[in-house]
Amino acid sequence: MSPRLRAIVMRLVQAIPVVIGVVVISFILTRALPGDPAVYFAGAAADEASIAEVREAMGLDKPLPQQFLRYVLDLVQGDFGQSVSSGQPVITDLANRLPASLELTLTALILSCAIAIPLGVLAAKKPGSFVDQLCRVLVTAGVSLPTFFTGIVLVYIFYYLLEIAPSPLGRLDFAYIEPDSITGFYLIDAAIAGDWETWFAAFKQIILPAVTLALFTLAPIARMTRAAMLSALSSDFIRTAKAAGLNNTRVTYGYAFRNALLPIVTTLGMVFSFSLGANVLVEKVFAWPGIGSYAVEALVVSDYAAVQGFVLSMALLFVTLNLVIDLTYSLIDPRIGFESK
Amino acid sequence: MTLATSRRNFLKMSGGVLGASTLPFLKSLPAQAAGKDVIVAVTGQTINSLDLHRKGTNRASYQVAVNCYDRLVSFGTKEAPGGGLSYDYSKIEPELAESWTVSEDGLTLTFKLKKDAKFWDGSKVTAEDVKWSFDRAVSVGGFPSVQMKAGGLVKPEQFEAVDDETFVIKLERPSKLTIPDLAVPVPFIINSKVAKANATEKDPWATDYLHKTPAGSGAFKVAKWMPGEQLVYERNDDWVGGPLPAAKRVIVREVPSPATRRALIEKGNVQLSFNIPNKDAKELADKVDVYSTPIENCMHCVGLNYTFEPFQDPNVRKAVAYSIPYEEIFQTAAYGRGAKLWGGPETIDSIEWPRKSPYYTDLDKAKELMAKSGFASGFSVPFSISLGLADWMEPTALLIQENLAKIGISTEIEKIPGANWRTAALVEKKLPLHLENFGGWLNTPDYYFFWAYKKGHLFNSSNYLNPEIEKLVDDTLHMPMDDPKYAPNIMRMFEIAFEDLPRIPLWQPALNVAANGATDYEFWFHRQLDIRPLKGV
């Protein structure tokens, strides 16, 4: 086994206690939520008897330790339980909705990186210049505008007034059939199928929500890029490189930027995780069938299995994300070895 | 089986033949297609099941039971107050049954099924299917069984399939509610052959199967269902339950944000927006067609809990009723949509319901009554509202709070999370002062009283108990409306209710629907969208 592979396995082993903790905490938290799912799911005109029936059917009449044991046993077999409100296995619900959220979040991140990183670099190279001011304005706006507000304003301007954006009706207008699911990402699936008509339709639908989310994620990335670049540019090795007469571009991008990348990647990881959460509001405005709205709906009706499934899948996602970030570190900076950890 | 859909037949269904064509749409096609043949509706609710009998099925899903399944009978149609059409409780019309007879003693109902009625798979609708479906509705428990019970339908032994086309219901006692109860969404007729083929030992009623794959004879089939996104209905051209719908396809899209729904309907990109907020209804009224139908047999009211000592004092209850700023609430919380329920005549002169209470806003009178009561120095009480219904409850509670303070009753508004509300308000019935709403599906006052004024019944959130009401409701509930005792009994109920005031009526809420390119919208008591009468423009 190569040292790197062993390191990855070690990291995965270290994630096990985290996942166990998440399982226990999510179980206890859902039970501590206000609201009685049995009452809710028994329906509007239910009497005591039918509430008791539902409670029994949901297995909520058993003592908590027993419920927990059943839950864990199911989990071990890869069964996340049944969502009462959707009547589907939770795993199916998540598989349907997670790609929608990921597609939106990743598109927004790519977009905001494409703008924020160059902007941050330029702002750092010329502090106080016009670009620096522009960067400051964007960062302030991005931080202070709530996402749902940005979303509604964008809908109002581009769809309602200018009529250049398509109806904000989720991932595809009703005139199109979604592409056969391979990855669950419409843009990728449609491209694989070579169906550019649908690809373009899906692309048009994703622009506004992605821009909304990008505006929100732009700020931390741009700010971090600027700060990291400033400190890199003022460091000793850059002065040495300049004194040695290396050309400017090489110094900026070869040495300074590569060193600045580490904090930027860290920020990216954090931004990715909180933008998955911030998604909820964007999903509501654009009728985007993502995981955030699913979790909120599940919380409102105390759908235990669905909430637990959501928390658990998010935890697994973050464990993976952190691993990816650590690996990226070692690619960027060869001095960072896994062995030393 | 939902039908596989291909591009070509998606908008201009060629009789369900599947051409696996990948003909791309022309840019202009959606706009043209969404005309006569295709109607797109948006709603804020998620349809979480295609089977109303399943445990955990939410209200929004009731529309599937109506649009995809038939019942033995249905209600007629009338002009609605507030524009548009409405179902007509007083007219029962055939749906799968072509005729029915009631025995002399009212205990045996015999239904003759339509000879040409077919399920989607082409098999004949038989009395055996009806019996299986009714057995299912009374056996699954929960809400469906409770609703069946309201019409005196309790156990499978009451239902008999005499031959293929003759179905008999036997009753314990004759009731005026039985036949109307057959027209509510619950007793829908399922293709029992298909269902039985997909039933298991653990799931004898095929709830897992029917949850995703309806098997009915109704006006529309489900072409595609993506929970949280959309439901695509496709017309069943062989439907015999009523006049063939005009639209070949109806697409119901879920759009959670009211602001987005509003933009869509204003732009005309969708033809119908279902259940829009009162504020939007008021503001959109001069741009698109807005129907605001007062919901029959439904009231928003203030609940005064009898377990809370001051509310056992009739003077206190009346003082509260005279202190409420009705008009302001109606304009602020309801934006003037719906019907006023205050300032009515002192004496009860009709059996109209919901009706205006004899109370109105008069703070001087309220103060007098407080002075006469055993709580002249005032008292304080928590005022509970549901966060899930905050859109009307919050402004209402704030306005009432302000006026109660003027007569010496200090209240603190307690907002209860939606998931908790039913437990606290209706199951435990522990909220001293609260807001409440109940709408009865069967449109008779005695049915409302049965649920909301009888001791221990679910919607009696005030723990109200009055022996005379108990007796009146029991005597009247099953009595035919043309019985000479009926009207006097009902009027006596009204008198007692307005005297005892466990619930103070505020207003009759409206169901608001905006249409832009669709006509013939029809209101139904179940407050879900019936797509069968809709016509594209």
Side-chain angles (χ1 to χ4, degrees):
Chain A
M1 217 163 30
S2 73
R4 174 159 292 175
L5 190 67
R6 190 170 28 202
I8 293 177
V9 172
M10 272 308 293
R11 288 299 307 265
L12 287 176
V13 170
Q14 282 166 2
I16 291 173
V18 175
V19 173
I20 291 177
V22 167
V23 169
V24 176
I25 289 169
S26 69
F27 179 87
I28 293 171
L29 275 185
T30 49
R31 283 358 185 232
L33 280 176
D36 182 345
V39 172
Y40 185 88
F41 289 115
D47 46 14
E48 288 295 344
S50 49
I51 291 173
E53 254 173 52
V54 174
R55 200 183 304 283
E56 197 179 339
M58 293 172 73
L60 296 172
D61 53 339
K62 301 194 170 59
L64 275 186
Q66 205 176 332
Q67 284 184 43
F68 182 69
L69 203 68
R70 248 186 63 182
Y71 171 57
V72 173
L73 284 176
D74 286 347
L75 268 187
V76 173
Q77 297 163 15
D79 178 3
F80 279 50
Q82 284 268 343
S83 155
V84 184
S85 64
S86 76
Q88 311 237 46
V90 171
I91 200 98
T92 316
D93 282 338
L94 295 177
N96 284 340
R97 285 166 166 272
L98 196 56
S101 284
L102 285 179
E103 185 173 34
L104 177 58
T105 310
L106 289 173
T107 311
L109 273 184
I110 292 167
L111 190 66
S112 66
C113 284
I115 297 167
I117 293 179
L119 200 69
V121 172
L122 292 175
K125 280 197 71 167
K126 300 198 177 69
S129 68
F130 166 74
V131 178
D132 195 15
Q133 300 299 348
L134 178 74
C135 180
R136 194 163 295 149
V137 168
L138 265 179
V139 166
T140 316
V143 169
S144 53
L145 288 172
T147 43
F148 69 92
F149 174 77
T150 324
I152 288 176
V153 167
L154 289 179
V155 167
Y156 182 69
I157 296 173
F158 291 99
Y159 165 68
Y160 188 86
L161 291 179
L162 302 178
E163 302 191 10
I164 49 182
S167 322
L169 272 175
R171 302 177 75 184
L172 267 182
D173 193 274
F174 53 83
Y176 295 89
I177 316 281
E178 67 279 0
D180 295 331
S181 186
I182 298 163
T183 57
F185 286 41
Y186 283 6
L187 290 175
I188 297 177
D189 290 351
I192 292 173
D195 182 353
W196 299 107
E197 191 80 20
T198 303
W199 187 91
F200 196 68
F203 178 69
K204 280 199 305 198
Q205 294 295 119
I206 206 170
I207 293 175
L208 282 191
V211 168
T212 308
L213 206 54
L215 273 175
F216 176 69
T217 52
L218 202 82
I221 301 173
R223 223 173 31 207
M224 188 45 85
T225 310
R226 183 174 174 273
M229 272 308 273
L230 276 176
S231 73
L233 284 171
S234 62
S235 60
D236 291 347
F237 62 88
I238 295 290
R239 203 182 51 205
T240 312
K242 279 184 176 162
L246 289 175
N247 78 25
N248 212 343
T249 321
R250 178 88 199 258
V251 171
T252 311
Y253 297 102
Y255 296 108
F257 184 62
R258 192 166 170 181
N259 276 285
L261 261 179
L262 283 183
I264 296 173
V265 170
T266 315
T267 315
L268 267 181
M270 279 172 37
V271 167
F272 179 77
S273 34
F274 74 69
S275 60
L276 262 180
N279 248 344
V280 178
L281 297 166
V282 182
E283 284 170 13
K284 291 267 182 232
V285 172
F286 292 95
W288 202 265
I291 194 112
S293 27
Y294 176 74
V296 170
E297 297 297 318
L299 270 174
V300 167
V301 301
S302 331
D303 193 344
Y304 291 167
V307 174
Q308 286 164 196
F310 167 77
V311 174
L312 195 59
S313 60
M314 285 289 131
L316 292 173
L317 194 71
F318 291 143
V319 168
T320 322
L321 183 76
N322 281 325
L323 185 66
V324 171
I325 288 176
D326 284 349
L327 285 174
T328 320
Y329 279 172
S330 65
L331 289 179
I332 295 170
D333 188 346
R335 289 171 309 178
I336 297 182
F338 273 110
E339 294 81 357
S340 56
K341 290 203 170 179
Chain B
M1 257 298 291
T2 49
L3 303 169
T5 322
S6 78
R7 281 284 166 80
R8 178 178 291 166
N9 68 357
F10 187 75
L11 286 169
K12 34 170 225 244
M13 299 172 307
S14 42
V17 181
L18 305 182
S21 104
T22 45
L23 268 184
F25 275 141
L26 301 170
K27 276 211 165 35
S28 57
L29 190 63
Q32 286 174 356
K36 282 234 180 304
D37 284 351
V38 180
I39 292 177
V40 185
V42 284
T43 161
Q45 301 287 312
T46 292
I47 293 167
N48 76 351
S49 174
L50 305 181
D51 176 10
L52 186 150
H53 293 168
R54 188 188 72 106
K55 276 190 181 61
T57 295
N58 64 4
R59 279 195 73 110
S61 309
Y62 296 177
Q63 62 163 275
V64 181
V66 175
N67 296 322
C68 297
Y69 287 100
D70 290 327
R71 278 135 294 274
L72 289 172
V73 292
S74 178
F75 290 113
T77 305
K78 65 179 182 192
E79 292 288 312
L85 301 167
S86 161
Y87 88 108
D88 184 351
Y89 187 81
S90 63
K91 273 210 298 266
I92 299 286
E93 292 187 346
E95 196 156 78
L96 274 183
E98 65 179 8
S99 64
W100 54 94
T101 51
V102 182
S103 63
E104 259 321 288
D105 58 6
L107 292 177
T108 310
L109 310 179
T110 309
F111 292 86
K112 282 281 176 205
L113 299 184
K114 291 180 178 169
K115 287 184 172 51
D116 54 351
K118 284 193 180 58
F119 287 113
W120 300 327
D121 64 0
S123 62
K124 189 177 158 69
V125 179
T126 65
E128 199 49 54
D129 294 303
V130 181
K131 171 160 172 57
W132 190 87
S133 308
F134 276 48
D135 288 356
R136 187 179 196 250
V138 297
S139 310
V140 287
F143 162 69
S145 301
V146 171
Q147 186 61 46
M148 294 295 278
K149 209 188 311 189
L153 311 166
V154 190
K155 50 183 191 290
E157 292 75 52
Q158 292 175 272
F159 313 126
E160 189 192 347
V162 177
D163 57 44
D164 266 4
E165 286 158 19
T166 317
F167 176 71
V168 172
I169 298 177
K170 290 202 162 49
L171 296 168
E172 297 276 316
R173 63 159 151 200
S175 168
K176 67 168 180 291
L177 298 177
T178 302
I179 290 187
D181 201 34
L182 296 178
V184 304
V186 177
F188 57 89
I189 314 303
I190 302 162
N191 186 335
S192 67
K193 300 172 275 296
V194 172
K196 279 181 198 160
N198 290 285
T200 59
E201 189 102 357
K202 265 174 63 185
D203 182 22
W205 298 112
T207 45
D208 285 344
Y209 175 79
L210 292 169
H211 163 54
K212 290 185 208 163
T213 32
S217 58
F220 285 90
K221 308 170 196 180
V222 172
K224 189 183 343 174
W225 176 47
M226 301 164 82
E229 281 185 77
Q230 64 176 1
L231 181 69
V232 180
Y233 290 107
E234 200 162 278
R235 189 173 69 193
N236 164 23
D237 291 347
D238 303 327
W239 189 48
V240 298
L244 193 68
K248 285 187 180 163
R249 231 163 222 278
V250 178
I251 300 168
V252 178
R253 281 299 271 253
E254 291 170 25
V255 179
S257 150
T260 310
R261 288 205 299 275
R262 181 171 165 166
L264 286 164
I265 192 78
E266 270 192 67
K267 278 287 174 215
N269 285 90
V270 301
Q271 285 73 54
L272 195 117
S273 181
F274 189 73
N275 196 1
I276 60 175
N278 286 319
K279 180 168 186 284
D280 285 354
K282 185 179 177 179
E283 290 168 1
L284 284 175
D286 50 6
K287 296 182 184 157
V288 298
D289 302 327
V290 174
Y291 306 103
S292 290
T293 321
I295 299 166
E296 286 183 352
N297 214 2
C298 179
M299 291 194 307
H300 282 342
C301 56
V302 178
L304 306 178
N305 201 322
Y306 268 59
T307 51
F308 181 71
E309 200 194 344
F311 293 147
Q312 293 164 6
D313 185 325
N315 287 322
V316 171
R317 294 196 303 264
K318 286 178 186 169
V320 171
Y322 279 117
S323 74
I324 293 173
Y326 296 98
E327 182 65 37
E328 269 180 82
I329 290 174
F330 188 60
Q331 295 310 336
T332 316
Y335 291 86
R337 301 264 142 187
K340 304 177 178 188
L341 292 181
W342 69 92
E346 284 293 322
T347 49
I348 308 286
D349 52 0
S350 77
I351 58 166
E352 188 195 349
W353 182 262
R355 64 184 302 112
K356 290 180 172 181
S357 82
Y359 300 93
Y360 48 91
T361 316
D362 186 340
L363 281 173
D364 296 337
K365 207 162 182 170
K367 284 175 191 155
E368 260 171 57
L369 284 160
M370 276 303 275
K372 271 201 301 196
S373 77
F375 298 86
S377 54
F379 58 89
S380 63
V381 57
F383 191 169
S384 314
I385 62 170
S386 164
L387 276 173
L389 302 166
D391 61 324
W392 72 270
M393 282 191 175
E394 194 160 21
T396 305
L398 287 168
L399 288 164
I400 294 176
Q401 179 184 40
E402 195 182 342
N403 272 21
L404 285 179
K406 293 176 189 162
I407 63 167
I409 301 174
S410 73
T411 52
E412 181 154 341
I413 293 181
E414 176 197 23
K415 298 178 186 171
I416 298 180
N420 247 8
W421 175 255
R422 288 181 46 79
T423 313
L426 302 181
V427 179
E428 294 171 1
K429 306 186 195 298
K430 63 177 185 188
L431 306 176
L433 175 63
H434 56 276
L435 294 173
E436 221 285 289
N437 156 275
F438 167 63
W441 274 10
L442 302 176
N443 190 16
T444 66
D446 40 311
Y447 187 70
Y448 189 99
F449 273 71
F450 172 82
W451 282 109
Y453 284 92
K454 275 198 74 171
K455 177 72 182 163
H457 282 203
L458 189 67
F459 292 93
N460 179 357
S461 53
S462 302
N463 286 300
Y464 174 62
L465 169 64
N466 177 316
E468 195 182 347
I469 285 274
E470 298 284 317
K471 184 173 174 345
L472 280 169
V473 174
D474 289 346
D475 289 351
T476 318
L477 191 61
H478 302 284
M479 187 187 282
M481 286 161 116
D482 50 13
D483 190 299
K485 290 206 294 286
Y486 181 78
N489 277 3
I490 295 283
M491 295 209 248
R492 179 68 191 132
M493 279 185 215
F494 293 167
E495 267 172 29
I496 301 170
F498 288 149
E499 177 60 31
D500 289 353
L501 278 181
R503 306 159 81 79
I504 304 169
L506 297 171
W507 83 92
Q508 186 180 0
L511 178 67
N512 302 303
V513 172
N516 187 353
T519 60
D520 292 52
Y521 156 76
E522 191 177 322
F523 164 84
W524 278 80
F525 56 88
H526 48 67
R527 303 189 222 170
Q528 298 307 324
L529 180 60
D530 184 346
I531 59 175
R532 296 172 300 178
L534 287 180
K535 294 188 176 67
V537 175

